[in-house]
């Protein structure tokens, strides 16, 4: 499926990882142990110095102007090799939107900080009652002179507690004839008066998501991205960028390799190895075959994108199948590890790496919601295939 040139490029990326990523950071990523923010930033800086922090961006803004297929191969190879993921909110989601729709002043103000890793962003889309059904959002933005005044709440805002900036959607015309109309996109510093962040602790005990409250938050006119009431159109670009790599094939390959490694090391209680147990071998083989089919679908979609086509229902299918595969592989990891995966509060620095797998298992439950829940994706596919109109979000 890859050309000899692609394979040579993947080898170049692997060599870069070997030369620039500390072994301990790599070990932590592979075994789902916490990686310090400082280590993540150092990795971002290393990629930036090589010109690889945002290779999908245009050259004039520090990117490489790579094709979607080359950018996909790059990101999947990094994931397969155990490199920490860079925050996607600025690099992958907002920046392409700003480059296409933002003002020159917004590009000059935000793109250099995003690509250098000096400015962290979060995405303010979901709200209570408007998560998967994003068009129901109620955060209001009312014009007051030259300013906009925002009131309302965002929900499940990932990493808002560490972000410097937010891009968000707000309703600017509550009387619009359709819910998708009358929505606008804004950018704002998290330090803006009236913005309050409250943590939401997840099932695994970690803080990754938050509630964000807006109490008479006053923003200058320059905070509006593109045209007023056009936020829904921009959102589709943002979510399209998010879904392009949402199957996370490289991460799945890495996890499948770990499943095999742990199963080869674990005794089966009868003098053999778990890897030799027929039922487990069957589950591993089935997962590997399904992963190959997901990768083939990904590459097929990218080939169409490279020709200028807009991703169709393949992107929705990849969202469903890719997220289910990630959940399936963490279940396999926990099953293979057995009781070794149970110590929920293991020492993340020195403890048995297997103990972190259970937290990773819980973390992965949410991937079927990210980027639009799988139920919504199935509705979109069904409506499209039945000719009922509308692709929704």
């Amino acid at each position: 499926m890859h050309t000899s040139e692609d394979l040579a490029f993947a080898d170049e990326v692997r060599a870069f990882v070997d030369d620039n990523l500390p072994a301990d950071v790599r070990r932590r990523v592979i075994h789902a142990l916490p990686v310090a923010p400082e280590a993540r930033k150092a990795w971002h800086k290393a990629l930036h110095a090589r010109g690889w922090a945002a290779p999908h961006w245009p050259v004039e803004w520090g990117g490489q102007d790579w094709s979607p297929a080359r950018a996909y191969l790059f990101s999947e190879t990094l994931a397969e090799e155990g490199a920490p993921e860079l925050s996607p909110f600025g690099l992958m989601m907002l920046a392409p939107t700003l480059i296409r729709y933002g003002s020159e002043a917004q590009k000059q103000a935000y793109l250099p900080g995003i690509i250098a890793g000096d400015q962290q962003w979060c995405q303010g889309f979901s709200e209570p009652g408007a998560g998967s059904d994003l068009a129901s959002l109620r955060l209001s933005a009312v014009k007051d002179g030259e300013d906009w005044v925002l009131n309302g709440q965002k929900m499940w805002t990932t990493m808002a507690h560490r972000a410097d900036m937010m891009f968000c959607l707000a309703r600017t015309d509550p009387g619009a004839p359709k819910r998708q109309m009358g929505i606008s996109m804004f950018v704002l510093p998290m330090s803006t008066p009236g913005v309050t962040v409250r943590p939401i602790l997840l099932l695994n005990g970690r803080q990754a998501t938050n509630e964000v409250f807006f109490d008479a938050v006053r923003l200058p006119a320059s905070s509006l991205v593109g045209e007023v009431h056009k936020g829904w159109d921009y959102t589709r670009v943002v979510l399209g960028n998010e879904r392009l790599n949402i199957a996370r094939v490289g991460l799945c390959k890495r996890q499948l390799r770990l499943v095999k490694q742990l199963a080869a090391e674990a005794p089966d209680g009868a003098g053999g190895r778990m890897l030799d147990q027929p039922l487990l071998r069957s589950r591993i083989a089935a997962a590997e075959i399904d992963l190959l089919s997901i990768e083939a679908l990904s590459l097929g979609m990218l080939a169409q994108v490279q020709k200028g086509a807009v991703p169709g229902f393949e992107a929705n299918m990849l969202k469903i199948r890719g997220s289910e595969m990630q959940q399936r592989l963490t279940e396999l990891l926990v099953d293979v590890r057995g009781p070794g995966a149970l110590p929920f509060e293991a020492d993340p620095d020195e403890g048995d790496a297997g103990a972190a797998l259970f937290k990773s298992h819980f973390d992965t439950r949410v991937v079927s919601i990210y980027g639009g829940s799988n139920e919504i994706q199935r509705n979109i596919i069904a409506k499209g295939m039945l000719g009922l109109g509308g692709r929704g979000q």
Side-chain angles (χ1 to χ4, degrees), residues 275-350:
L275 189 58
D276 298 324
Q277 294 298 312
L279 181 58
L280 181 63
R281 291 179 70 87
S282 173
R283 290 177 63 193
I284 293 173
E288 189 156 14
I289 291 168
D290 287 347
L291 182 55
L292 283 172
S293 70
I294 292 171
E295 183 176 30
L297 182 61
S298 296
L299 293 173
M301 183 185 73
L302 287 168
Q304 294 301 314
V305 170
Q306 198 148 343
K307 294 176 182 176
V310 175
F313 297 119
E314 301 94 335
N316 306 96
M317 293 167 64
L318 280 171
K319 166 61 179 53
I320 297 170
R321 300 293 289 157
S323 58
E324 290 176 346
M325 175 58 68
Q326 292 167 54
Q327 294 174 341
R328 185 170 161 191
L329 288 172
T330 58
E331 289 166 8
L332 262 174
L333 281 167
V334 169
D335 287 348
V336 168
R337 194 64 187 175
L342 289 178
F344 191 80
E345 295 298 339
D347 184 340
D349 294 314
E350 303 299 335

Side-chain angles (χ1 to χ4, degrees), residues 22-294:
D24 182 60
V25 175
R26 195 175 195 172
R27 178 184 69 85
R28 287 176 171 279
V29 172
I30 291 174
H31 292 282
L33 291 164
V35 176
E38 297 77 13
R40 290 185 181 276
K41 187 167 185 176
W43 174 240
H44 191 136
K45 291 290 184 185
L47 288 171
H48 184 233
R50 179 64 177 79
W52 284 355
H56 55 294
W57 289 17
V59 172
E60 65 177 305
W61 293 109
Q64 300 285 338
D65 212 9
W66 284 349
S67 67
R70 175 56 63 96
Y72 170 87
L73 178 61
F74 174 69
S75 62
E76 297 300 338
T77 303
L78 288 182
E80 193 175 350
E81 291 302 305
E85 292 183 353
L86 303 187
S87 174
F89 299 116
L91 287 169
M92 299 294 295
M93 299 169 72
L94 175 66
T97 309
L98 281 184
I99 290 170
R100 188 167 175 180
Y101 299 109
S103 67
E104 188 64 23
Q106 287 171 338
K107 296 174 189 176
Q108 295 288 350
Y110 303 129
L111 295 181
I114 292 174
I115 197 170
D118 294 330
Q119 196 177 66
Q120 298 300 312
W121 287 74
C122 62
Q123 177 200 59
F125 279 13
S126 295
E127 297 180 9
S132 298
D133 184 16
L134 189 56
S136 296
L137 68 87
R138 293 184 296 177
L139 176 70
S140 70
V142 177
K143 202 73 185 291
D144 183 18
E146 294 298 316
D147 295 341
W148 290 94
V149 179
L150 277 60
N151 281 286
Q153 179 189 353
K154 292 295 176 182
M155 189 80 171
W156 309 117
T157 311
T158 303
M159 304 310 288
H161 57 300
R162 291 183 179 164
D164 306 299
M165 301 285 297
M166 169 188 277
F167 61 97
C168 72
L169 295 175
R171 192 163 296 283
T172 44
D173 182 5
K178 291 186 177 180
R179 295 185 307 163
Q180 289 83 357
M181 301 170 69
I183 293 173
S184 301
M185 182 179 288
F186 295 89
V187 293
L188 67 146
M190 294 301 287
S191 58
T192 305
V195 174
T196 303
V197 178
R198 294 182 184 170
I200 300 174
L201 293 182
L202 301 181
L203 187 62
N204 62 9
R206 294 176 183 169
Q207 180 186 358
T209 62
N210 305 270
E211 295 176 286
V212 181
F213 296 89
F214 295 74
D215 184 12
V217 174
R218 183 171 290 274
L219 302 179
S222 59
S223 298
L224 177 70
V225 175
E227 299 179 42
V228 68
H229 306 328
K230 294 288 187 182
W232 189 257
D233 296 335
Y234 307 154
T235 300
R236 294 181 66 172
V237 175
V238 171
L239 294 177
N241 291 328
E242 182 181 16
R243 288 173 186 157
L244 208 53
N245 293 307
I246 207 160
R248 304 176 83 185
V249 171
L251 178 145
C252 290
K253 285 183 176 178
R254 189 182 79 215
Q255 289 187 318
L256 185 62
R257 195 164 60 210
L258 184 59
V259 168
K260 293 178 181 177
Q261 177 193 327
L262 294 177
E265 296 170 352
D268 64 356
R273 306 178 306 167
M274 286 192 68
L275 189 58
D276 298 324
Q277 294 298 312
L279 181 58
L280 181 63
R281 291 179 70 87
S282 173
R283 290 177 63 193
I284 293 173
E288 189 156 14
I289 291 168
D290 287 347
L291 182 55
L292 283 172
S293 70
I294 292 171

Side-chain angles (χ1 to χ4, degrees), residues 358-379:
F358 215 46
K359 283 190 174 182
S360 174
H361 170 75
F362 281 137
D363 275 341
T364 311
R365 299 309 93 187
V366 78
V367 298
S368 55
I369 297 176
Y370 286 156
S373 73
N374 285 2
E375 289 78 7
I376 292 291
Q377 305 307 314
R378 288 189 170 93
N379 282 341

